[in-house]
Each structure stands twice: as C-alpha cells, then as structure tokens.
C-alpha cells in the first residue's frame, strides 16, 4: 500500500514536473549550441572588418578562437545558471533566498576581486583591439621586451637582459608596439 502510493506520487510528479525539467534542460542546451554558432560568426565578421593590421591568417584564426572561447564560456555559465534557477521550483526549492545570498556573496567577492576583474577586462580589450601579440616587441609600463605570453589576466615579456616581467593587464596604462613601426 505504501509502496503503491509512493510509486503513484512519483509518476504524478514525473508527469507534471519531470516534463518541465526536461524541456528546460533541452532549451538551455539548444540555446548554448545556437549561441556557439552565432558568437563564432559574429566574432569572425568583427575580426575580418577590423583586420587593418592583421596580415597573417593563422594569427587571425588564433585571435578568433580565443575570443570565441572566452565569450562562449561566459555565456554557457549564464545560460546554465538560469536553467538551474528555473528548475529549482519544480523540486520545491524557492530560489529567492539563494539569489539574495548569492548577491551578497557576489558583492563581497566583487569588492575583493576588483583588480582581478579589471585585469580580465583589460586583457579582453587588448585581444579585441589587437594591440600586441606574442613574439612582438613592446614597451609596457616602462618595460621593453618581447611578449612571450599573453592571456586575459596578464602579459609576460622578456627584456634584452633575459629578465621576465609579469604585468597584470589591469595595470597597463599605455603600451607601445615596437614591431609595427
């Protein structure tokens, strides 16, 4: 009797809520897939239009891949978070307290990681604007040398003495590209 009641409740829940959960997950998956194609095409067009200084197809391809990966990752996180928050009520969990708590935690983390966010945003603009690339000679914050690594958070240059300088992108106020004279 108890088992039959449990099975009946489970079937009722699966019919009423399970289908909604599956639809929400499918829509989130579909949006992620469509956004990948859309972002790739959008970034490809933008890079193609702004390629005044880019002559090398391989460098252009690497630039597109980097920008597409960064934007896809960010969008994927946002889409799946929205999907999870939409599914929680189907399991009887109210997402409002979670959102309020996440807001407070986000505020605290945001205050503490202001410099990190600034580094990532500055790195994104360095890549978008194609200010400099790996293997180019640059003068950044008074340090002259060859760029040996470049990512969203930092730029690494090696000077003529062999010293390696790690410069957070958020601290770069001006950069001179000495390879594009």
């Amino acid at each position: 009797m108890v088992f039959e009641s449990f099975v009946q409740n489970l079937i009722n829940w699966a019919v009423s809520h399970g289908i909604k959960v599956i639809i929400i997950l499918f829509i989130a998956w579909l949006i992620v897939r469509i956004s990948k194609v859309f972002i790739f095409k959008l970034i490809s067009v933008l890079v193609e239009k702004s390629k005044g200084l880019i002559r090398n197809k391989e460098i252009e391809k690497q630039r597109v891949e980097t920008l597409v990966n960064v934007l896809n990752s960010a969008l994927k996180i946002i889409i799946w978070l929205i999907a999870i928050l939409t599914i929680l009520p189907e399991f009887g969990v109210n997402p409002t307290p979670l959102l309020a708590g996440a807001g407070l935690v986000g505020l605290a983390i945001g205050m503490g990681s202001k410099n990190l966010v600034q580094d990532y945003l500055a790195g994104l603009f360095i890549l978008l604007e194609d200010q400099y690339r790996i293997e180019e000679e640059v003068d950044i914050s008074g340090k002259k040398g060859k760029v040996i690594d470049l990512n969203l958070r930092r730029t690494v240059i090696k000077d003529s003495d062999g010293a390696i300088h790690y410069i957070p992108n958020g601290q770069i106020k001006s950069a001179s590209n000495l390879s594009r004279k």
Side-chain angles (χ1 to χ4, degrees), residues 47-48 50-61 63 130 133 136 180:
V47 168
E48 181 70 28
S50 71
K51 80 174 187 181
L53 297 174
I54 300 175
R55 301 284 186 244
N56 188 333
K57 287 287 187 188
E58 186 61 34
I59 291 173
E60 183 179 319
K61 182 181 172 188
R63 184 173 173 216
D130 195 31
R133 299 182 212 122
E136 289 188 334
R180 297 183 190 175

Side-chain angles (χ1 to χ4, degrees), residues 6 8 18 27 29 79 91 94 117 139-140 150 158 166 169 173 176:
F6 172 76
Q8 186 61 37
I27 289 172
W29 174 81
I79 290 168
F91 290 100
N94 185 1
V117 172
D139 183 352
I140 299 174
L150 169 64
K158 185 175 187 177
Y166 299 87
N169 290 331
K173 301 301 176 206
S176 302

Side-chain angles (χ1 to χ4, degrees), residues 96-141:
T96 307
L98 293 173
L99 288 172
L104 291 175
V105 169
L107 182 64
I109 291 173
M111 295 289 196
S113 65
K114 185 185 112 190
N115 290 339
L116 189 62
V117 172
Q118 186 179 11
D119 290 344
Y120 279 98
L121 286 174
L124 182 62
F125 282 108
I126 289 170
L127 289 171
L128 282 172
E129 295 170 356
D130 195 31
Q131 294 176 10
Y132 51 83
R133 299 182 212 122
I134 294 175
E135 297 294 319
E136 289 188 334
E137 290 289 327
V138 294
D139 183 352
I140 299 174
S141 301

Side-chain angles (χ1 to χ4, degrees), residues 84-102:
I84 289 169
L85 290 173
T86 307
I87 289 172
L88 285 177
E90 299 302 322
F91 290 100
V93 177
N94 185 1
T96 307
L98 293 173
L99 288 172

